[in-house]
């Protein structure tokens, strides 16, 4: 724009200010887009690392930690083989939402509060010294990790757990993911969205 054609200096000054504001807005938008691309690149690299982790992802729901044997006491290869799953490594995944639920429950009353406290202490002991989200070996053929990559704190805990399982299912195209639950409603919701469900034998119940 040639501002010299305007004889009125006020008009020319207003146009210059408008042009500077437009250029500043454009520069800000470009900067925001670059930041968004950098963030997307970082998230993509993190997802690639998650997808590269070996093992069949098995996602715990809250009840399984409260009312069933502790993860390290289960012979996962035998349990999964009995349900038609042939895997060398079981990758046990505890969604962050499950940890939140346990923390809430441990401040309640009665047997559930005691069991939630036991479950939290178990996770703290097993994961001690590891970085958030990193897997730790429980026993031969089984690792355990807390899923911290998606911070989903909506009202529906079951839905948050299923989202975690769905993300892992999409990341692991060859094996998919499994939902570990004894809750009939959770089983139905998982199957409704195309997720496979597994369970523990009844003699594994506390």
């Amino acid at each position: 724009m040639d501002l010299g054609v305007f004889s009125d200096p006020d008009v020319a000054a207003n146009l210059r200010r408008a042009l500077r504001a437009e250029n500043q807005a454009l520069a800000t938008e470009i900067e925001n887009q670059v930041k968004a691309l950098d963030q997307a690149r970082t998230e993509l690299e993190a997802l690639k690392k998650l997808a590269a982790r070996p093992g069949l992802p098995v996602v715990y729901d809250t009840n399984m930690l409260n009312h069933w044997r502790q993860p390290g006491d289960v012979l996962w290869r035998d349990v999964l083989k009995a349900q038609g799953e042939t895997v060398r490594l079981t990758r046990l995944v505890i969604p962050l939402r499950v940890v939140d639920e346990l923390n809430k429950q441990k401040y309640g009353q009665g047997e559930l509060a005691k069991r939630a406290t036991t479950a939290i202490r178990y996770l703290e002991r097993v994961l001690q010294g590891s970085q958030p989200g990193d897997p730790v070996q429980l026993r031969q053929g089984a690792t355990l990790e807390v899923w911290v990559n998606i911070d989903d704190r909506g009202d529906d805990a079951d839905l948050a757990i299923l989202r975690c399982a769905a993300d892992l299912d999409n990341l692991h195209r060859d094996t998919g993911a499994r939902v570990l639950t004894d809750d009939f409603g959770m089983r139905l919701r998982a199957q409704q969205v195309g997720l496979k469900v597994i369970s523990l034998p009844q003699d594994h119940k506390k």
Side-chain angles (χ1 to χ4, degrees), residues 60-72 92-95 98-99 102 105 112 115-120 122-123 144 146 180 182 200 206:
Y60 260 81
D61 79 352
T62 312
N63 285 341
M64 297 305 298
L65 287 170
N66 278 331
H67 304 297
W68 296 76
R69 285 189 195 174
Q70 293 173 335
L92 304 173
V93 181
I94 312 294
V98 168
V99 178
L102 291 172
Q105 291 171 354
L112 180 60
R115 294 192 176 198
T117 300
T118 299
I120 284 291
Y122 172 80
L123 293 177
L144 183 141
V146 174
L180 180 67
D182 68 332
L200 290 176
K206 291 180 182 177

Side-chain angles (χ1 to χ4, degrees), residues 89-200:
L89 177 64
T90 305
R91 179 184 169 193
L92 304 173
V93 181
I94 312 294
L96 184 60
R97 183 56 183 269
V98 168
V99 178
D100 289 341
E101 291 293 304
L102 291 172
N103 272 320
K104 291 178 183 177
Q105 291 171 354
K106 75 178 183 180
Y107 293 112
Q109 300 292 327
E111 185 64 23
L112 180 60
K114 294 178 181 178
R115 294 192 176 198
T117 300
T118 299
I120 284 291
R121 288 175 178 171
Y122 172 80
L123 293 177
E124 288 177 339
R125 183 174 71 253
V126 169
L127 298 171
Q128 185 177 12
S130 66
Q131 293 298 313
D134 285 352
V136 298
Q137 186 165 350
L138 285 180
R139 59 189 304 152
Q140 185 177 3
T143 63
L144 183 141
E145 66 194 81
V146 174
W147 180 263
V148 295
N149 298 83
I150 295 180
D151 188 12
D152 190 337
R153 297 177 183 250
D155 291 334
D156 194 326
D158 284 357
L159 185 57
I161 295 168
L162 291 177
R163 283 199 188 108
C164 168
D167 286 339
L168 285 163
D169 196 65
N170 289 328
L171 284 172
H172 294 265
R173 294 291 185 179
D174 294 337
T175 64
R178 306 292 184 269
V179 178
L180 180 67
T181 183
D182 68 332
D183 183 275
F184 182 59
M186 172 72 100
R187 180 182 296 272
L188 291 177
R189 296 179 77 177
Q191 293 173 341
Q192 186 179 19
V193 296
L195 291 169
K196 294 183 179 180
V197 180
I198 60 174
S199 58
L200 290 176

